[in-house]
Amino acid sequence: MAAEITLTQLRYFLSAVEHGSLSAAAEAHYIAQPSVSEQIRRLERAVGVPLFVRTNRRLVLTDAGRTLLPYAERTIRAAEEAAASVDPVRTLTGGTVAFGTFSSAHHLLHTELVTRFHSLYPKVRLRLVGMNSVQVAESVRTGDLEAGLVALPVDDRALDVGPVVWSTEAVYLSADAARTRTTMTIQDVADAHLVLPEVRWGDMDPTRRQLVTLAQNRGVPLRPVLEVESPAVALELAQRGVADTVISLALAQTLGATRILHWTSLDPPVHETFAFVTRRDATPSPATTILMNLARRVLAELPQPPPPTSSAVRRRRPPP
């Protein structure tokens, strides 16, 4: 078939059959008769045979027209059903949102985010997946997730990375107050008895990448003596005095670790920054857009960091 058949052509064909003339079909669609005539002619060129016998009084279907009729009816009906199938997604009365977040987000925002979203749109199913930001970015890229909230930097191939929506300082935490009396240089961190989280992703983890870059620029290796999967476990080990750690201050506060551990900033400071990622040139669904807006609000409402627990005044070390 040389030409493509369009839904418009089939709709005008069915309308001409129903009303018996091109002029009546044109009136039914509130358009000029020549427009209907042209679409019918294109349809006949596409199928390669006449569909109507044109008499003085009405249109009469040819053999080909009678053969095409049930297929045209089914095609238009299927198109209408397809359009109707996405109505719940458009009207937020159904559908599914698949959204990813950085791995420790379940401590910070999952419960509040799900509660708010579900109270507003109880009929929309929600898949909220917590993974390392590397995984979240890849899952959005492959289409397994529609969007995600990730720690930067991430591989942005085929992704649109939105502006930073939240930031928190990564700090050095220790059970020993003496170790946090001054800011910690990257040399200090490299020399420390250290436990770091995200063992599965190691130096690919966004925060670890920042620390490794600082260490490499200083010409020192960063090799923690302990690596664990969960930031919460790293904080528990620090509380037991097993090793010190470098963790998001907001997370340490949320988990209650700042009531036990002493902390200080790194020198230069290290900040974890977070942004939404979506597939490039794709428009998020209405429900996903709302979920991202809610996540932005929940993050903005997180408590401000506490003052350092060390009794000493924190001061910057002079450069070596």
Side-chain angles (χ1 to χ4, degrees):
M1 199 172 293
E4 181 181 348
I5 295 176
T6 68
L7 291 176
T8 298
Q9 292 165 2
L10 293 177
R11 285 194 179 97
Y12 289 171
F13 167 71
L14 293 175
S15 188
V17 172
E18 179 185 356
H19 294 94
S21 72
L22 297 179
S23 59
E27 289 179 10
H29 289 277
Y30 303 100
I31 59 175
Q33 178 179 329
S35 297
V36 175
S37 300
E38 176 60 24
Q39 292 299 325
I40 297 295
R41 280 195 296 270
R42 291 183 182 181
L43 178 59
E44 289 178 325
R45 285 199 297 269
V47 299
V49 291
L51 299 173
F52 294 103
V53 174
R54 291 160 174 82
T55 69
N56 289 333
R57 300 188 60 183
R58 20 181 327 114
L59 296 174
V60 178
L61 282 171
T62 64
D63 236 12
R66 285 190 294 272
T67 301
L68 178 63
L69 182 60
Y71 290 97
E73 291 172 337
R74 286 200 295 269
T75 299
I76 294 301
R77 186 163 56 249
E80 291 171 348
E81 290 172 355
S85 70
V86 300
D87 278 349
V89 176
R90 178 177 55 82
T91 60
L92 298 171
T93 56
T96 301
V97 175
F99 188 80
T101 66
F102 58 96
S103 57
S104 59
H106 65 283
H107 295 298
L108 297 165
L109 78 150
H110 278 197
T111 301
E112 185 64 25
L113 179 60
V114 172
T115 299
R116 294 189 191 186
F117 183 83
H118 186 66
S119 68
L120 292 170
Y121 308 103
K123 295 184 179 180
V124 178
R125 293 184 296 276
L126 175 60
R127 291 180 55 238
L128 189 60
V129 184
M131 300 183 290
N132 187 277
S133 294
V134 176
Q135 290 172 290
V136 174
E138 182 60 24
S139 294
V140 173
R141 187 165 25 247
T142 60
D144 294 330
L145 297 173
E146 187 176 359
L149 177 63
V150 299
L152 301 178
V154 293
D155 179 0
D156 64 356
R157 286 176 299 115
L159 297 177
D160 284 331
V161 180
V164 170
V165 296
W166 187 59
S167 178
T168 180
E169 186 180 3
V171 297
Y172 186 93
L173 297 109
S174 176
D176 185 352
R179 297 177 194 163
T180 62
R181 286 180 182 149
T182 62
T183 54
M184 297 287 285
T185 68
I186 193 63
Q187 179 72 64
D188 297 329
V189 175
D191 292 340
H193 197 74
L194 205 63
V195 54
L196 291 179
E198 303 294 349
V199 61
R200 189 180 313 176
W201 296 96
D203 294 346
M204 293 176 63
D205 173 72
T207 302
R208 292 275 289 268
R209 283 174 64 181
Q210 292 191 67
L211 294 174
V212 168
T213 299
L214 288 173
Q216 289 176 344
N217 290 340
R218 182 65 177 156
V220 296
L222 183 65
R223 299 192 183 100
V225 294
L226 299 171
E227 293 183 85
V228 295
E229 183 63 41
S230 166
V233 172
L235 286 169
E236 289 176 7
L237 291 171
Q239 289 173 29
R240 295 187 182 193
V242 176
D244 298 343
T245 192
V246 176
I247 296 287
S248 152
L249 181 55
L251 179 60
Q253 179 187 15
T254 298
L255 295 177
T258 52
R259 294 195 297 267
I260 301 169
L261 294 172
H262 306 275
W263 64 270
T264 188
S265 297
L266 302 179
D267 184 11
V270 171
H271 289 89
E272 295 180 346
T273 54
F274 299 84
F276 295 115
V277 293
T278 56
R279 286 189 299 283
R280 187 164 296 159
D281 301 323
T283 302
S285 67
T288 298
T289 300
I290 289 171
L291 185 69
M292 290 192 292
N293 288 335
L294 287 175
R296 186 181 287 108
R297 291 177 203 161
V298 173
L299 289 170
E301 294 167 7
L302 288 176
Q304 293 299 310
T309 53
S310 174
S311 57
V313 176
R314 292 192 300 158
R315 57 190 181 278
R316 286 193 181 278
R317 296 186 178 189

